[in-house]
């Protein structure tokens, strides 16, 4: 089982910077596109760390690993970064599937937009963490990432924004290691359908309110 996220903080450059931490009582199967702990494997925790919009470190995985060590997070885990204040996380549950999203849309981009246009726009980050209470096969885990991404894009479209996401979005899906294996994670599958609804609801709620990047809150 994955815990509800705990809000904590760290000190950097004399400022208290928020962190969001999920812990698992036993290792979970996971798939993630996060800079730390990405890919498919067993994971014990998830860390979503706020950073300034000026963040330009070229070693995000090492940075996240150091943050995890400071929090005494043992074993392998997933680390995510965002310019959003992670205290503004939005959670939704549907048929046992739990979803949390930190939603920073800024000016979202179309995935297939020409590269110069995409680079000319400011970016935000949408980080999505999902817990499915059933064991998913490897193909179902990958399919669940696609389903979450499609649901996110649907929410952005319904918000009236001209994009499908941002260039730095991340999705993490976790599930138990034991039990009958579910073969599918698509939007009409037994677990993909509630996953899609919960992701859609979380991103829609998070994007339907003003979100000021954490670093801009300090100067505002």
């Amino acid at each position: 089982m994955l815990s509800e996220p705990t809000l904590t903080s760290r000190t950097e450059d004399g400022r208290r910077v928020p962190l969001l931490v999920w812990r698992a009582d036993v290792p979970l199967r996971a798939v993630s596109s996060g800079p730390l702990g990405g890919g498919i494997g067993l994971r014990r925790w998830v860390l979503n760390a706020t950073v300034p919009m000026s963040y330009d470190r070229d070693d995000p995985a090492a940075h996240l690993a150091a943050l995890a060590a400071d929090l005494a997070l043992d074993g392998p885990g997933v680390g995510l970064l965002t310019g959003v204040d992670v205290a503004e996380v939005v959670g939704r549950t549907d048929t046992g599937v739990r979803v949390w999203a930190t939603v920073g849309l800024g000016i979202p981009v179309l995935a297939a937009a020409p590269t110069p246009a995409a680079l000319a726009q400011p970016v935000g980050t949408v980080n999505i963490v999902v817990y499915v209470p059933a064991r998913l096969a490897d193909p179902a885990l990958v399919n669940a990432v696609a389903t979450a991404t499609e649901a996110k894009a649907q929410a952005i479209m319904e918000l009236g924004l001209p994009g499908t996401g941002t260039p730095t979005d991340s999705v993490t899906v976790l599930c138990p290691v034991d039990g009958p294996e579910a073969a599918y994670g698509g939007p009409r599958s037994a677990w993909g359908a509630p996953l899609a609804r919960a992701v859609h609801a979380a991103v829609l709620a998070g994007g339907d309110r003003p979100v000021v990047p954490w670093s801009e809150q300090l100067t505002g």
Side-chain angles (χ1 to χ4, degrees):
M1 178 69 73
L2 190 68
S3 71
E4 288 292 322
T6 299
L7 181 65
T8 183
S9 63
R10 74 212 188 254
T11 301
E12 287 188 2
D13 299 324
R15 300 176 297 185
R16 301 298 293 173
V17 190
L19 298 164
L20 208 56
V21 183
W22 294 258
R23 292 176 172 86
D25 48 6
V26 295
L28 298 173
R29 284 172 49 75
V31 61
S32 178
S33 60
L36 176 66
I40 293 179
L42 297 181
R43 305 289 183 261
R44 297 194 64 104
W45 46 266
V46 179
L47 171 63
N48 193 8
T50 293
V51 293
M53 292 298 284
S54 59
Y55 187 84
D56 60 357
R57 290 185 58 155
D58 59 5
D59 61 344
H63 184 202
L64 284 161
L67 296 178
D70 289 344
L71 293 169
L73 295 173
D74 295 328
V78 172
L80 313 171
L81 297 170
T82 177
V84 173
D85 183 345
V86 294
E88 299 177 9
V89 63
V90 176
R92 292 292 185 269
T93 302
D94 191 305
T95 320
V97 176
R98 294 186 292 156
V99 168
W100 301 269
T102 50
V103 184
L105 288 169
I107 300 177
V109 300
L110 294 165
T115 301
L119 292 178
Q121 295 175 334
V123 300
T125 298
V126 180
N127 283 340
I128 297 169
V129 176
V130 178
Y131 176 75
V132 177
R135 182 184 178 192
L136 300 179
D138 283 358
L141 277 172
V142 175
N143 205 175
V145 172
T147 297
T149 303
E150 291 173 13
K152 174 197 70 177
Q154 179 184 340
I156 293 171
M157 177 189 69
E158 292 176 9
L159 288 166
L161 300 174
T164 53
T166 87
T168 53
D169 291 352
S170 183
V171 177
T172 299
V173 180
L174 306 104
C175 70
V177 299
D178 298 320
E181 191 172 74
Y184 306 107
R188 293 298 176 264
S189 66
W191 294 109
L195 183 158
R197 292 191 297 265
V199 169
H200 173 263
V203 175
L204 196 63
D208 196 30
R209 63 187 185 187
V211 177
V212 178
W214 173 81
S215 51
E216 291 182 17
Q217 294 177 19
L218 297 180
T219 58

